Amino acid sequence: MPWHVAETAAGGVVAVALSIAALAAHGSDRDTGAVAAPPTVVIEATRLAFPEPGEFLVEGRAIPAPVRDVEIPAFAIMTHQVGLADYGRCVAAGRCMAADTQARAAAADVPVTGVSYFDALAYAAWLGEATGATWRLPSALEAAAAAGERFSAETFSDAADDPKNPAVAWIRRYREQAASVRAPEPAARPFGSYGVNSLGVADFGGNVWEWTSTCYVRVGFEADRVTERSRTENCRVHVLEGRHRAIMSDFVRDGRSGGCAVGTPPDNLGFRLVQEPDRPGLVGRILGRIAAVLDR
Amino acid sequence: MFTRRQALMGVAAAGLLAALPPMTAMAGEIDLSALPRERIALVAPPFVHAHEQVSTTGPRIIEYTMTIVEKTVVIDDEGTTLQGMTFDGSIPGPMMVVHQGDYVELTLVNPETNSLPHNIDFHAATGGLGGGALTLINPGEETTLRFKATRSGTFVYHCAPEGAMIPWHVVSGMSGTIMVLPRDGLKDETGRPLRYDKVFYVGENDFYVPRDEEGNFKSYESPGDSYADTLPVMRGLIPTHVVFNGAKGSLTGDNAMTSKVGETVLIVHSQANRDTRPHLIGGHGDYVWEEGKFDNPPMKDLETWFIRGGSAGAALYTFLQPGIYAYVNHNLIEAVELGATAHFVVEGEWNDDLMKQVAAPGPIPVN
């Protein structure tokens, strides 16, 4: 049965990857007493036509997100999503809750999945202490910049809806979602499975949706679609970027159970972090340099 | 493996067949040669073969053939598999529609590629364990059963080999529905005719898939392989999956059921094993035969209706408002977590009189 073969093969890969990880961890512990900073990619300052995350209404009707032309200063973001083994060190240190991952417990070469927004914050705090650098979730804008050509935001079209019939928009969106349904890929896949984008960021838009620090907002516009009539921000709910944009309550760890009655929810929830350039101490800077050099 | 298979196979040889006189001993009691025959091809759910709602003929003999297919089926979006046993390749088995007084003549085929003996028990049939006693066939055999559809209504059929095999075959997918319409069609409580523009057939299944030590669902190479692990899960009575039409999401997205404002749909809902409670979110049951038996007056204006395990019910509804409707088992844990959700996509004009968003969501005003 292919299933059994796959499990055995995965087990072999895991064993090899684990031993490599163990060597690496041992090496860094001996040299510095700290955790090596994960490899990052510098996203150069850029300009982006950014469809804002949230819900936008005109006279009670949803409209496509306004697209803002924004400049983004350069920043450094993890090349890979946070790994299951990386996350496991935070769990072992008593600072993170074990993930609700579907992956085999020992898998070292897969991204961590089954993590909430809170889990991402906890990991960032621990990693900061462990590496001497400052790590945080990217904003949705930064995630979009790092996603490069893979950024998709909302997948809904801007077709003219009938203002007298809200069902027209519901059905259109439902059909668009159904058309974009892909074969479900719930199982964690090894780093690199979804390739690297033109900026060198790995696996964005694969089967792991990534938490951002951007809160959900609902904005009411005047008929001109520019003048804000009202704005409600809900920071108990955050934006995730991935194959399409998702919005989840902070405590949700399984994207499939966080969706609505109608819709196509994310396969998995994970994250990657931005490294703050400003605040690292001397040790952090040295470690960052070493990591950067090693990464080349 | 050989011994387990032999034990499972043994049922066909040692079962009830031996205890009953063969069909030939009862032959000659009735001459149906004057009755017209019609051969009808079955279609997979949620669709139903073309049929008259009001019969324009006298009683007929309706011929069907169903081939039993044992196969691995995927039952959720995580790729969990079940060693499925199916009537005609679908879960649930296809729906038959005849009229009261018709004769159903079913040829049941159990190809040699299958590993188990099977049979069929029609709740619509009278005697012989619903036909189960006369239809037990080994792989490589076929049999033909005729029964008279004496009572109108929606009725479950299912495989019922013997003993522990019965629930196992049913929760592996072997159930379906026959609808016996009154010859003069459906009626309300005053006898006024009720008609439908479309009929949808939703079969609900409870599955019991074993897990490994890490909590992941296990997969198996054959039904026999899965039996020992599945039995204790079944005995726990807590399904791992509760789904419509064989798999989570089988009636959503591109496969969502469709209708239009002003269109009347008949939704036949069957559950061969376990109680359920269909609910159309944002809609109602205009006329509901909860027990599925059309000689009883339908209940009206229901919000949720109860389908007893081992029965099929029917609900008639005319859509009044466009949109996406979720049709669920209103144990919402089963609907959302275990899979029992279907969708209707309904197009048409919105009726502000029935519903209007008076104030869109926005900040609470401060005065």
Side-chain angles (χ1 to χ4, degrees):
Chain A
M1 194 71 185
W3 186 266
H4 298 133
V5 173
E7 276 192 354
T8 314
V13 171
V14 166
V16 172
L18 262 185
S19 53
I20 292 170
L23 282 174
H26 183 253
S28 67
D29 285 352
R30 186 182 54 204
D31 294 341
T32 66
V35 172
T40 56
V41 174
V42 174
I43 308 298
E44 301 298 343
T46 185
R47 225 182 154 77
L48 200 64
F50 181 62
E52 290 196 64
E55 201 179 352
F56 304 91
L57 307 173
V58 171
E59 288 162 0
R61 285 180 296 113
I63 59 165
V67 178
R68 198 158 47 100
D69 188 33
V70 272
E71 278 191 50
I72 310 150
F75 63 97
I77 191 165
M78 289 180 176
T79 307
H80 301 285
Q81 291 148 347
V82 172
L84 183 57
D86 304 324
Y87 188 83
R89 282 190 274 279
C90 179
V91 175
R95 300 285 302 278
C96 290
M97 276 170 56
D100 287 344
T101 180
Q102 301 266 325
R104 295 170 59 87
D109 59 344
V110 298
V112 66
T113 56
V115 284
S116 70
Y117 171 79
F118 297 128
D119 294 325
L121 293 191
Y123 181 81
W126 169 80
L127 186 66
E129 290 170 30
T131 60
T134 301
W135 297 88
R136 61 167 175 80
L137 280 174
S139 66
L141 178 60
E142 287 167 332
E149 73 280 7
R150 294 192 182 186
F151 180 64
S152 70
E154 297 290 342
T155 55
F156 302 124
S157 65
D158 191 8
D161 291 320
D162 182 351
K164 294 199 175 99
N165 187 346
V168 171
W170 301 338
I171 292 171
R172 180 171 58 80
R173 289 187 170 207
Y174 184 77
R175 293 220 166 108
E176 286 172 10
Q177 278 189 322
S180 68
V181 162
R182 69 280 167 202
E185 305 161 1
R189 298 182 62 186
F191 290 128
S193 293
Y194 294 94
V196 172
N197 71 3
S198 60
L199 304 172
V201 176
D203 297 326
F204 185 89
N207 69 346
V208 179
W209 271 246
E210 303 182 16
W211 285 103
T212 75
S213 61
T214 299
C215 300
Y216 164 85
V217 290
R218 173 182 272 156
V219 180
F221 285 113
E222 302 292 349
D224 64 4
R225 298 193 173 197
V226 176
T227 314
E228 282 191 19
R229 177 186 284 177
S230 65
R231 172 177 282 262
T232 309
E233 190 177 63
N234 182 354
C235 282
R236 298 179 190 94
V237 178
H238 280 83
V239 174
L240 295 100
E241 298 288 2
R243 206 167 296 185
H244 60 74
R245 187 173 270 165
I247 292 169
M248 295 275 161
S249 291
D250 292 349
F251 55 84
V252 169
R253 296 177 124 197
D254 179 355
R256 286 162 301 170
S257 65
C260 314
V262 173
T264 310
D267 287 324
N268 289 295
L269 309 186
F271 62 102
R272 76 180 85 215
L273 299 174
V274 166
Q275 184 175 14
E276 282 283 6
D278 306 340
R279 289 158 43 195
L282 182 62
V283 175
R285 280 208 299 277
I286 293 167
L287 282 174
R289 288 270 169 79
I290 292 170
V293 168
L294 285 177
D295 194 35
R296 282 165 204 155
Chain B
M1 183 46 54
F2 177 73
T3 46
R4 182 191 295 161
R5 174 167 173 148
Q6 200 175 38
L8 298 175
M9 292 293 290
V11 175
L16 289 149
L17 270 177
L20 286 164
M23 279 292 281
T24 46
M26 302 181 284
E29 82 283 19
I30 183 165
D31 180 13
L32 300 179
S33 60
L35 286 188
R37 286 178 168 267
E38 187 179 1
R39 175 149 203 86
I40 294 180
L42 292 163
V43 300
F47 304 109
V48 180
H49 67 71
H51 58 271
E52 291 183 329
Q53 294 185 45
V54 176
S55 175
T56 54
T57 68
R60 298 172 302 162
I61 301 171
I62 311 293
E63 299 173 358
Y64 296 106
T65 297
M66 287 203 298
T67 301
I68 294 159
V69 184
E70 296 172 7
K71 62 177 182 181
T72 303
V73 292
V74 176
I75 57 171
D76 62 23
D77 46 8
E78 296 168 43
T80 304
T81 59
L82 173 81
Q83 284 303 310
M85 308 179 200
T86 71
F87 286 109
D88 236 29
S90 66
I91 300 177
M95 186 159 117
M96 305 164 184
V97 184
V98 301
H99 286 90
Q100 196 170 5
D102 284 343
Y103 293 82
V104 177
E105 195 168 288
L106 171 74
T107 299
L108 189 65
V109 182
N110 189 359
E112 207 156 349
T113 45
N114 287 342
S115 62
L116 300 166
H118 300 285
N119 68 353
I120 191 163
D121 166 1
F122 282 99
H123 288 189
T126 305
L129 303 179
L134 303 175
T135 53
L136 192 64
I137 44 175
N138 292 294
E141 293 180 328
E142 69 170 49
T143 183
T144 300
L145 174 79
R146 190 188 72 225
F147 73 90
K148 188 173 187 178
T150 54
R151 296 154 204 270
S152 69
T154 49
F155 295 86
V156 159
Y157 65 78
H158 63 93
C159 188
E162 199 180 47
M165 294 298 104
I166 299 173
W168 180 47
H169 283 232
V170 170
V171 300
S172 299
M174 287 192 88
S175 66
T177 305
I178 181 168
M179 178 161 75
V180 181
L181 287 167
R183 292 213 86 80
D184 55 352
L186 301 178
K187 293 174 282 296
D188 72 6
E189 76 287 0
T190 67
R192 195 176 62 88
L194 294 172
R195 298 290 175 262
Y196 46 87
D197 300 305
K198 272 184 177 174
V199 54
F200 289 106
Y201 162 40
V202 177
E204 180 174 330
N205 286 83
D206 44 324
F207 294 135
Y208 303 81
V209 183
R211 297 177 192 267
D212 65 17
E213 307 74 39
E214 290 179 345
N216 298 316
F217 289 120
K218 293 175 77 170
S219 59
Y220 298 89
E221 296 197 23
S222 71
D225 272 348
S226 73
Y227 178 66
D229 285 354
T230 304
L231 199 55
V233 186
M234 287 164 53
R235 284 182 180 158
L237 298 176
I238 300 175
T240 55
H241 297 74
V242 178
V243 301
F244 295 153
N245 283 25
K248 184 175 183 180
S250 65
L251 296 175
T252 64
D254 286 338
N255 299 318
M257 297 176 281
T258 57
S259 188
K260 288 185 278 229
V261 170
E263 201 169 59
T264 300
V265 296
L266 182 73
I267 308 168
V268 176
H269 195 113
S270 74
Q271 224 301 8
N273 195 60
R274 192 168 174 274
D275 299 342
T276 183
R277 52 209 68 70
H279 172 91
L280 180 65
I281 301 178
H284 300 92
D286 289 338
Y287 297 91
V288 181
W289 295 268
E290 241 191 13
E291 309 94 333
K293 305 308 169 278
F294 299 131
D295 214 22
N296 302 312
M299 288 184 278
K300 295 200 286 188
D301 301 331
L302 297 197
E303 58 179 313
T304 298
W305 40 104
F306 185 68
I307 306 294
R308 295 140 183 81
S311 75
L316 195 76
Y317 182 60
T318 304
F319 282 102
L320 302 175
Q321 197 79 298
I324 310 293
Y325 289 73
Y327 176 82
V328 300
N329 168 344
H330 209 288
N331 177 325
L332 295 169
I333 301 163
E334 296 181 1
V336 177
E337 296 291 334
L338 301 190
T341 298
H343 294 151
F344 278 94
V345 178
V346 180
E347 295 189 278
E349 290 304 308
W350 182 265
N351 183 343
D352 273 342
D353 186 42
L354 286 172
M355 183 177 282
K356 181 167 177 63
Q357 186 179 51
V358 177
I364 301 164
V366 279
N367 294 318

